[in-house]
Amino acid sequence: MAAPLADQLDIVIPTIRNLDFLEEWRPFFQPYHLIIVQDGDPTKKIAVPEGFSYELYNRNDIERILGDKAWSISFKDSACRCFGFMVSKKKYIYTIDDDCFVAKDPSGKPINVLEQHIKNLLSPSTPFFFNTLYDPYREGTDFVRGYPFSLREGVTTATSHGLWMNIPDYDAPTQMVKPKERNTRFVDAVMTIPKGTLYPMCGMNLAFDRELIGAAMYFGLMGEGQPIGRYDDMWAGWCTKVICDHLGVGCKTGLPYVWHSKASNPFTNLRKEYKGIFWQEEIIPFFQNVTLSKTCTNAEECYIELADKVRKGLGHIDPYFSKLADGMIAWIEGWRMLNPAKTA
Amino acid sequence: MAAPLADQLDIVIPTIRNLDFLEEWRPFFQPYHLIIVQDGDPTKKIAVPEGFSYELYNRNDIERILGDKAWSISFKDSACRCFGFMVSKKKYIYTIDDDCFVAKDPSGKPINVLEQHIKNLLSPSTPFFFNTLYDPYREGTDFVRGYPFSLREGVTTATSHGLWMNIPDYDAPTQMVKPKERNTRFVDAVMTIPKGTLYPMCGMNLAFDRELIGAAMYFGLMGEGQPIGRYDDMWAGWCTKVICDHLGVGCKTGLPYVWHSKASNPFTNLRKEYKGIFWQEEIIPFFQNVTLSKTCTNAEECYIELADKVRKGLGHIDPYFSKLADGMIAWIEGWRMLNPAKTA
């Protein structure tokens, strides 16, 4: 199995509830280092099969490491995975849920998700103009007639959003209306989400350049003690997309697919989501219109300014957003503590 | 063969240089009416096989029908096809080049291009937010988690841009560098080009709602007597995209594929294209930034205002753009003559 960039990428997993998960991924994941962030009761023990290089953090570890910033990491929710982004020392992160397994391409070949994500991250993005034959850097394709030559070098890629066969990532209402719908369609494409366009970024199968955008990959305040859930990755997606657009770097979506095995309970999901379903109607226009200062030239600076804009622009919806803005600041403080600026 | 909307769609073809073309398409095209616009010498006779309903226009017909506006229709260039858009009385247009044949899907089944284009046109577009599972209206798929519910009705679709297997639509430099590259990848997706994003619209395999956007589907001044060629469809693509964004209607790209049989001569193409290759570097920023007045509420009104903006915004590049702006106005005058406003 190809294991590209094995020394430059950490795999972050929010809890592992079954041993099959790592056994199935073993041929692909074993060359990489794993960071497991346990989302619930710290006394429960997660068994990691032999042969994997890993570090495991539970709630006690998060409290010990982050101290008075630890509250910014969600408890009893997979949003805690972002703690793994913070403690990693690698350039790239891949994060996956423990109910996602190896998918097969139409020829029946198991898909090497890391190989494809790394291809996506190492090849440029094209956010300023749409290429109708999709990824122009892929073998066998190129920019089509009419694509400006000045834009053909593309820009650095910050995120690679992979998709899911079998159980699609639907919200609770759609799950309830279409309980039997399965994604069986393999779309053989990767594309850049154009500049100025938001997308629903799912955290199930996601890779990103930690050095470039990691500081903005905060999964918010979800789970225990919070009024919403299941918007952790959406929040990170809106924030990172706006910041990538500001920084002139790219976000891709498409290949690779994972096999998403299990639909979460739609009733539980509805309870977690329902405020988000209302709130997103105001949050999305906010993110569509927010602008960042030219003086913000990296993800950290952008994120601090964005926290301030969130407080002012979304605070009227619910006191939650003021707390979330505080969480965003605490997150950056934690990030800076664990990722001190490199001195020249 | 399914022949949806056979009474509401015309097929416009700019010249037919070989009889095989209509014979191969017969099962799909015969239920529809054809409008053939002969692009060169009017004394040459185009043979149309028996069994097709068609009307054929040559240069003499264009001169006779449009009189002092006829100069706005390109001569000796496939850009003349837009005359067919103008004389049609149908709601929808499909236009195709005579070197495009029936493609097959991965299962080996011949692709019914009209059936797919009509599906694309009759189902809504989603230009305001990206859906990661592509067309949310397709059977077996939907909007993913995090897609705002207020946007799920979508908006009316104005254009459906289809793709090409085999010979990709490359510019002359890319053709020269990669003479043997063929498109063999079938991407099973249709998507909306997001609002604010331009794309290179190719005229080889294109359908649109003539009532909604036809007045802006002018293919410019190309061919004999003009300094450029091969930018006819690009021009129409930039103009229609900006106008669709302004009107709040959608442009889709993706399925269906045709089989593009023949690469045009790259040396001839370079001669036609080379000014366009420079000019597009200024034209595209112009279209990315142009805005239309709120008082423009249909394609005709938008197009007249755009002509004025083209004259002022691009005239400095070359006197050609002032002439093109005149052509845009003459085109609208011709359009209005042949398509008088319906009285209530």
Side-chain angles (χ1 to χ4, degrees):
Chain A
M1 285 301 164
L5 299 187
D7 56 339
Q8 292 183 60
L9 181 144
D10 281 338
I11 300 176
V12 173
I13 309 163
T15 273
I16 299 176
R17 289 161 293 186
N18 63 78
L19 287 175
D20 294 351
F21 172 73
L22 280 180
E23 285 306 339
E24 181 163 330
W25 284 108
R26 186 185 287 274
F28 299 100
F29 286 1
Q30 198 164 306
Y32 297 87
H33 182 69
L34 313 181
I35 299 177
I36 303 163
V37 188
Q38 197 172 339
D39 72 357
D41 183 353
T43 64
K44 284 199 181 156
K45 202 167 153 53
I46 291 181
V48 178
E50 281 201 12
F52 285 96
S53 156
Y54 74 97
E55 53 202 286
L56 191 154
Y57 297 93
N58 65 27
R59 191 71 208 174
N60 298 334
D61 301 313
I62 296 172
E63 299 283 346
R64 176 176 48 80
I65 293 167
L66 287 182
D68 65 353
K69 320 287 176 226
W71 68 272
S72 67
I73 303 298
S74 299
F75 185 43
K76 294 195 179 170
D77 193 282
S78 72
C80 69
R81 78 174 83 207
C82 65
F83 179 74
F85 309 159
M86 195 186 250
V87 295
S88 167
K89 296 289 169 241
K90 303 283 172 62
K91 182 166 168 61
Y92 300 104
I93 295 286
Y94 174 59
T95 185
I96 181 171
D97 280 4
D98 72 345
D99 61 351
C100 292
F101 293 88
V102 182
K104 288 176 177 165
D105 71 18
S107 76
K109 197 183 154 205
I111 295 166
N112 186 338
V113 286
L114 284 165
E115 191 178 22
Q116 181 67 49
H117 274 301
I118 288 166
K119 264 188 203 170
N120 296 348
L121 288 170
L122 296 186
S123 65
S125 288
T126 53
F128 307 119
F129 201 80
F130 190 89
N131 194 49
T132 51
L133 288 182
Y134 312 101
D135 180 2
Y137 306 107
R138 183 168 173 174
E139 209 178 321
T141 191
D142 212 308
F143 291 97
V144 299
R145 181 170 57 91
Y147 204 102
F149 280 83
S150 61
L151 296 177
R152 294 192 187 194
E153 282 192 23
V155 299
T156 306
T157 302
T159 64
S160 168
H161 177 259
L163 300 175
W164 344 276
M165 301 303 291
N166 195 39
I167 308 287
D169 186 31
Y170 288 163
D171 48 64
T174 308
Q175 279 185 296
M176 286 170 167
V177 172
K178 295 176 155 185
K180 293 189 175 172
E181 192 152 286
R182 296 294 177 265
N183 187 23
T184 58
R185 194 157 52 99
F186 181 92
V187 175
D188 190 12
V190 177
M191 71 196 65
T192 300
I193 314 273
K195 183 176 178 177
T197 300
L198 295 175
Y199 73 115
M201 188 189 80
C202 169
M204 264 197 277
N205 171 23
L206 176 72
F208 59 91
D209 182 328
R210 201 184 80 90
E211 289 179 4
L212 198 56
I213 200 65
M217 205 53 94
Y218 174 47
F219 272 45
L221 298 168
M222 305 281 146
E224 193 170 85
Q226 306 301 342
I228 54 166
R230 281 170 60 83
Y231 275 87
D232 51 344
D233 43 5
M234 296 300 138
W235 183 260
W238 301 324
C239 293
T240 52
K241 184 58 168 62
V242 159
I243 292 173
C244 285
D245 283 351
H246 175 78
L247 297 175
V249 297
C251 300
K252 290 183 185 174
T253 185
L255 303 180
Y257 285 91
V258 292
W259 179 266
H260 185 207
S261 65
K262 212 177 71 203
S264 44
N265 184 303
F267 297 96
T268 309
N269 290 346
L270 186 61
R271 186 171 44 73
K272 290 179 180 174
E273 279 173 12
Y274 86 100
K275 286 194 177 174
I277 286 172
F278 292 99
W279 290 350
Q280 71 185 355
E281 299 293 341
E282 284 193 65
I283 297 171
I284 285 167
F286 164 81
F287 279 105
Q288 283 172 332
N289 293 305
V290 74
T291 54
L292 298 168
S293 310
K294 281 189 182 162
T295 51
C296 298
T297 58
N298 62 42
E300 271 179 53
E301 289 166 3
C302 289
Y303 205 66
I304 291 170
E305 184 168 290
L306 190 57
D308 186 51
K309 298 206 174 209
V310 163
R311 190 187 314 277
K312 288 176 185 148
L314 297 175
H316 69 278
I317 300 177
D318 192 277
Y320 169 76
F321 290 94
S322 185
K323 199 167 138 199
L324 180 54
D326 291 339
M328 292 168 77
I329 300 292
W331 157 265
I332 288 290
E333 289 168 351
W335 184 274
R336 285 180 168 168
M337 191 170 76
L338 294 172
N339 297 275
K342 287 169 191 160
T343 48
Chain B
M1 286 301 164
L5 300 186
D7 56 338
Q8 291 182 60
L9 181 143
D10 281 338
I11 300 176
V12 173
I13 308 164
T15 276
I16 299 175
R17 289 162 293 186
N18 63 77
L19 287 174
D20 293 352
F21 172 76
L22 280 179
E23 285 308 337
E24 181 163 330
W25 284 108
R26 187 185 287 275
F28 300 100
F29 287 0
Q30 197 164 309
Y32 296 88
H33 182 69
L34 313 182
I35 299 178
I36 303 163
V37 188
Q38 196 173 341
D39 71 359
D41 182 355
T43 63
K44 283 197 182 158
K45 201 167 153 58
I46 291 180
V48 178
E50 281 202 12
F52 285 95
S53 157
Y54 73 97
E55 53 202 286
L56 191 155
Y57 297 94
N58 64 26
R59 191 71 209 174
N60 298 335
D61 300 314
I62 296 171
E63 298 283 345
R64 176 176 49 79
I65 293 166
L66 287 183
D68 65 355
K69 319 285 176 227
W71 68 273
S72 67
I73 304 298
S74 300
F75 185 42
K76 294 195 179 169
D77 193 282
S78 73
C80 69
R81 79 176 82 207
C82 64
F83 180 73
F85 309 159
M86 194 186 250
V87 295
S88 167
K89 297 286 169 241
K90 304 284 172 62
K91 181 166 168 61
Y92 299 103
I93 295 286
Y94 174 59
T95 184
I96 181 171
D97 281 3
D98 72 346
D99 61 351
C100 292
F101 293 87
V102 182
K104 288 177 177 164
D105 71 18
S107 76
K109 196 181 154 208
I111 295 166
N112 186 337
V113 287
L114 285 165
E115 191 177 25
Q116 181 67 50
H117 275 301
I118 287 165
K119 264 189 203 170
N120 296 349
L121 289 169
L122 295 186
S123 65
S125 288
T126 52
F128 307 119
F129 202 79
F130 190 89
N131 194 48
T132 51
L133 288 181
Y134 313 101
D135 180 2
Y137 306 106
R138 183 167 171 173
E139 207 177 323
T141 192
D142 212 308
F143 292 97
V144 300
R145 180 171 58 91
Y147 204 102
F149 280 84
S150 61
L151 296 177
R152 294 192 186 194
E153 283 192 22
V155 299
T156 306
T157 302
T159 64
S160 168
H161 176 259
L163 300 175
W164 344 276
M165 301 304 289
N166 196 38
I167 308 287
D169 185 31
Y170 287 164
D171 48 64
T174 308
Q175 279 186 297
M176 286 170 169
V177 171
K178 295 177 154 184
K180 294 190 174 171
E181 192 152 287
R182 297 293 176 265
N183 187 25
T184 57
R185 195 156 51 99
F186 182 92
V187 175
D188 189 14
V190 176
M191 72 195 65
T192 301
I193 314 274
K195 182 176 178 179
T197 300
L198 294 176
Y199 73 115
M201 188 189 81
C202 170
M204 265 197 278
N205 172 24
L206 176 73
F208 59 92
D209 182 328
R210 201 184 80 90
E211 288 179 5
L212 198 54
I213 199 65
M217 204 54 93
Y218 174 46
F219 271 44
L221 298 169
M222 305 281 148
E224 193 170 85
Q226 306 300 341
I228 54 167
R230 282 171 60 83
Y231 274 87
D232 51 345
D233 43 5
M234 296 301 137
W235 184 260
W238 300 325
C239 293
T240 51
K241 184 59 167 64
V242 158
I243 291 173
C244 285
D245 283 351
H246 175 79
L247 296 175
V249 297
C251 300
K252 291 183 183 174
T253 185
L255 303 180
Y257 285 90
V258 292
W259 179 266
H260 184 207
S261 65
K262 211 176 69 201
S264 44
N265 184 303
F267 298 95
T268 310
N269 289 346
L270 186 62
R271 185 170 46 72
K272 290 180 181 172
E273 279 173 12
Y274 85 100
K275 286 195 178 173
I277 286 173
F278 292 98
W279 290 350
Q280 72 185 354
E281 298 294 340
E282 284 193 65
I283 297 171
I284 286 167
F286 164 81
F287 279 106
Q288 283 172 331
N289 293 304
V290 76
T291 54
L292 299 168
S293 310
K294 283 190 181 161
T295 50
C296 298
T297 58
N298 63 41
E300 271 179 52
E301 290 166 3
C302 289
Y303 205 68
I304 290 168
E305 183 167 292
L306 190 57
D308 187 49
K309 298 204 174 212
V310 163
R311 191 188 312 278
K312 289 176 185 147
L314 297 176
H316 69 280
I317 302 177
D318 192 278
Y320 169 74
F321 290 94
S322 186
K323 199 167 137 198
L324 180 54
D326 291 339
M328 293 168 76
I329 300 292
W331 157 265
I332 288 291
E333 288 168 351
W335 184 274
R336 286 181 169 167
M337 191 171 76
L338 294 173
N339 297 275
K342 287 169 192 159
T343 46

